Amino acid sequence: METLSGALRETPARFLVLAAAGSLSIVGSWQAMRWWDPFLTHRSILAEGWGSAAASGVLLLCAAGPLVALVRPLVAGGLVMTAMLVAVVGARHEWPIHVFVSLLVCAMVTAWRSRRAAWGLGIAALLPVASYAFLGTTIVLPYQTSVTAIGDRLLQLGAYAGVVALALGLALWLRRSALTARRTAGLEARAAEVEQQSAVVEERARLARDLHDVVAHHVSLIAVRAETAPYTVPDLSAAGRTLVAEIAEDSRRALEELRGVLGILRRSVEDPERVPQPTAADIATLVKRARTAGESVAWEPADLSGVSPPAGYVAFRVVQEALTNARRHAPGEPVRVETVPDATGGVVVRVGNATTDPGDAEGRGLTGMRERVEALGGVLAVRRDGGELAVEATVPGTAR
């Protein structure tokens, strides 16, 4: 069963304020009707001749109506109509204007839950007015005054019906605006969620590219060192040669499997933005590791201290991936690396090697290179000229 607290959570604030304001206005004006008589011209039975218990009961039912309508509109209408009957029977055909006001506020509050029930309560609010217009009952107003039907009764009833229609029109407008506000808030929340998910996917893609560059680079180094071990260690035993051959084969297989599972990336517990990123100066370390692994790499050291950190990071990844590709597709072939900085903080990277592998030049690694270079407004060119593969990346100092 729905509770008042549950209704408070689901009902927009504007309807809660409307219900509270209606109840408070009924209580306040009732006290004014009972206690304040500035002109001393009229004393209603409701004000002083009626029993205090009955008067308090009518007040309680009228004031409770708008609040009960938040949960049970029909029950609220029944309570207020009960107050109407009690007042008419016990107070010589007099009824306080609060009955009409309470039913009208109940109808407005109910508009949020059900438009049909709201119009039903609006019609119910006109029943006391009809008794005033056609049965001769008296409406008791605040300040100890009362009104008896005179003149055109249909015109008076029409005037009250106009008030009901305007009030319900306002309530339905409040309902539409509340629904629009909720839909807008829902769309904004969904858009924020989609944006957050997009950022996560983008970050995972970036981490996947970095994982490919780093892991593939080191695994390929292991493969090269294992393959060259029989030549760099002449006195290696037959068992040792068999072992390093198996290591080389496993490393090659690991590289292929790594490329097949890069689409699945677990979340990292460490914030990637706080991890130190490589720069152009670290290219020397890449070349040194490749040479240590037995790879023939020709590179003339250049002053890369003026290269901006973003451009240096991209240049490092380009060289790293190019060396990895050279080891995979042209093992044992010499590699030429050239880095030319410019005055704007950018750098041009060229990596070339002889190869007889007709494999696709646009594999996952080169695609990652291209994405990084183009993200800074640079250009990546991959060319095959005869038996040579050349990669050239122009990385600007600032994104264009």
Side-chain angles (χ1 to χ4, degrees), residues 274-338:
R274 298 182 181 178
V275 177
Q277 299 296 323
T279 64
D282 295 312
I283 292 177
T285 305
L286 278 179
V287 174
K288 181 179 178 181
R289 288 176 181 171
R291 288 171 176 171
T292 303
E295 193 172 358
S296 176
V297 181
W299 177 61
E300 289 295 331
D303 183 10
L304 301 176
S305 58
V307 178
S308 66
Y313 171 78
V314 172
F316 177 89
R317 294 303 186 196
V318 169
V319 174
Q320 184 181 53
E321 180 61 26
L323 290 175
T324 301
N325 285 343
R327 283 191 294 271
R328 291 184 67 249
H329 300 291
E333 295 293 337
V335 182
R336 300 183 310 279
V337 177
E338 184 180 358

Side-chain angles (χ1 to χ4, degrees), residues 13 40 46 79 89 123 196 204 211 214 229 232 278 287 308 341 348 395:
L40 298 176
L46 282 173
L79 292 177
V89 172
I123 294 174
Q196 183 180 8
R204 288 186 178 182
L211 178 64
V214 174
T232 56
V287 174
S308 66
V348 177
V395 188

Side-chain angles (χ1 to χ4, degrees), residues 106-133:
C106 286
M108 295 179 70
V109 171
T110 303
W112 166 249
R113 299 174 58 86
S114 169
R115 286 177 291 187
R116 181 178 300 179
W119 283 110
L121 287 174
I123 294 174
L126 293 176
L127 295 179
V129 180
S131 73
Y132 152 76

Side-chain angles (χ1 to χ4, degrees), residues 73-273:
L74 297 182
V75 173
L79 292 177
V80 181
M81 291 303 295
T82 300
M84 166 70 183
L85 294 176
V86 170
V88 170
V89 172
R92 301 175 187 177
H93 301 288
E94 293 182 346
W95 55 274
I97 191 64
H98 308 83
V99 172
F100 173 76
V101 173
S102 181
L103 286 170
L104 184 58
V105 176
C106 286
M108 295 179 70
V109 171
T110 303
W112 166 249
R113 299 174 58 86
S114 169
R115 286 177 291 187
R116 181 178 300 179
W119 283 110
L121 287 174
I123 294 174
L126 293 176
L127 295 179
V129 180
S131 73
Y132 152 76
F134 299 107
L135 300 179
T137 60
T138 300
I139 303 176
V140 179
L141 303 174
Y143 315 124
Q144 307 301 339
T145 58
S146 61
V147 177
T148 304
I150 57 175
D152 193 335
R153 298 179 178 182
L154 288 178
L155 182 61
Q156 295 180 47
L157 183 60
Y160 279 96
V163 172
V164 171
L166 288 175
L168 286 179
L170 174 62
L172 292 175
W173 177 82
L174 290 175
R175 180 179 185 270
R176 284 194 299 271
S177 63
L179 290 174
T180 301
R182 286 196 173 186
R183 283 194 294 266
T184 302
L187 290 175
E188 290 177 352
R190 178 58 182 164
E193 181 182 352
V194 169
E195 184 177 354
Q196 183 180 8
Q197 291 176 352
S198 175
V200 170
V201 170
E202 183 179 351
E203 180 65 13
R204 288 186 178 182
R206 187 185 73 81
L207 289 175
R209 290 193 296 269
D210 288 351
L211 178 64
H212 169 268
D213 291 344
V214 174
V215 177
H217 176 73
H218 289 288
V219 173
S220 63
L221 284 176
I222 295 173
V224 170
R225 297 191 68 175
E227 289 175 346
T228 58
Y231 307 102
T232 56
V233 186
D235 56 348
L236 192 62
S237 66
R241 291 173 184 271
T242 302
L243 179 60
V244 294
E246 291 175 354
I247 293 175
E249 180 62 26
D250 289 341
S251 300
R252 295 291 181 188
R253 190 178 300 110
L255 277 174
E256 295 303 325
E257 292 177 356
L258 174 64
R259 293 175 184 275
V261 299
L262 279 179
I264 304 172
L265 180 67
R266 291 185 177 180
R267 257 180 218 181
S268 174
V269 247
E270 185 177 14
D271 186 357
E273 296 299 329

